[in-house]
Amino acid sequence: MTWASWTTIGIHAPRGAVRTVESGVMEGDLTIHTTWSDDEAHVAVQYTGATEWYTMAGSPVPCHSEEASRNFHQAVVEAVRGEDDAPSLRDLFHQ
């Protein structure tokens, strides 16, 4: 089994930016973690420094390579930050 993971800390998410399965909407200082295994990218989020992780709504998504999952992680980070040229989380997670 092949797997990889990426974590980006200290992302400022504007109000209503991130939806999770378990706790609803999150905003503020967040950490995003993506784990790739079995051709899927699993994306989780937490308040930076907290211990609890929450599944981002729409996760997991199909990712057929480690490189694709790394690119997906970066796209999610950019979307949460609200970068101008970034796709929306809805588009990324096909919601």
Side-chain angles (χ1 to χ4, degrees), residues 3-63:
W3 69 275
S5 67
W6 298 272
T7 303
T8 304
I9 62 171
I11 302 164
H12 178 74
R15 184 179 179 126
V18 177
R19 290 186 319 123
T20 68
V21 172
E22 300 89 355
S23 71
V25 176
M26 296 176 71
E27 57 195 55
D29 187 5
L30 304 178
T31 296
I32 295 175
H33 179 80
T34 303
T35 302
W36 174 72
S37 65
D38 298 327
D39 289 335
E40 289 185 322
H42 298 260
V43 185
V45 61
Q46 72 175 179
Y47 288 105
T48 299
T51 56
E52 301 84 13
W53 287 95
Y54 303 98
T55 306
M56 286 188 79
S59 179
V61 299
C63 270

